[in-house]
């Protein structure tokens, strides 16, 4: 969906698109209600500002839709497709790294009660594993802050990738 298509979409469709970027209903409503946007940068700024008030409930709602790092996302929707693209690097992980990531995921879930969330796009499997191990030392409040920052990065990256798509006649 291009920026122009997003700006012209009915409210329900715009909210549905924003929910792919981050499954936080109030935020998706705010992003859709902020239209029209003059540029992708304008939309990203608005979306980032709207995410400033995210808290634990928003994190938990969004994580209900995120697969574990290293686990193949299931489903056929846009969110599953985005997760598959973002986690593509884990497909090339060594067996040792993949197994260590699975152990780190389990330890993280045991410690924090939710899946480990990281912006996987642009990171190697080893970097993601190192971050999981580092973040296991966080206290619960610090980890919520880090996980929300990762969710924000994922949302803005997805927004930019989605809205930067030119219309077919512009390609």
């Amino acid at each position: 969906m291009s920026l122009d298509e997003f700006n012209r979409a009915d409210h329900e469709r715009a909210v549905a698109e924003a929910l792919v970027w981050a499954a936080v209903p109030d935020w998706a409503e705010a992003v859709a209600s902020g239209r029209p946007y003059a540029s992708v940068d304008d939309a990203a700024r608005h979306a980032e500002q709207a995410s400033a008030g995210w808290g634990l409930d928003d994190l938990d709602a969004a994580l209900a839709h995120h697969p574990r790092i290293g686990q193949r996302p299931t489903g056929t929707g846009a969110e599953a497709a985005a997760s598959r693209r973002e986690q593509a690097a884990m497909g090339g992980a060594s067996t040792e790294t993949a197994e260590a990531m699975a152990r780190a995921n389990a330890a993280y879930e045991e410690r924090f009660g939710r899946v480990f969330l990281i912006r996987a796009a642009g990171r190697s499997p080893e970097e993601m594993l190192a971050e999981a191990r580092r973040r296991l030392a966080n206290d619960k409040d610090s980890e919520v802050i880090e996980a929300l920052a990762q969710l924000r990065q994922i949302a803005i990256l997805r927004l930019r990738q989605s809205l930067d798509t030119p219309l077919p006649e512009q390609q």
Side-chain angles (χ1 to χ4, degrees), residues 38-103:
S39 67
V40 173
D41 287 341
D42 187 34
R45 271 190 299 278
H46 182 83
E48 191 157 351
Q49 289 168 352
S51 73
W54 282 352
L56 182 57
D57 290 342
D58 299 309
L59 178 62
D60 288 339
L63 287 179
H65 301 277
H66 272 273
R68 289 174 184 87
I69 295 294
Q71 182 180 49
R72 184 131 176 99
T74 59
T76 58
E79 190 167 353
S83 289
R84 275 191 288 279
R85 276 191 311 276
E86 292 159 0
Q87 289 199 38
M90 280 305 294
S94 69
T95 301
E96 179 181 310
T97 299
E99 289 172 355
M101 191 73 225
R103 287 190 301 274

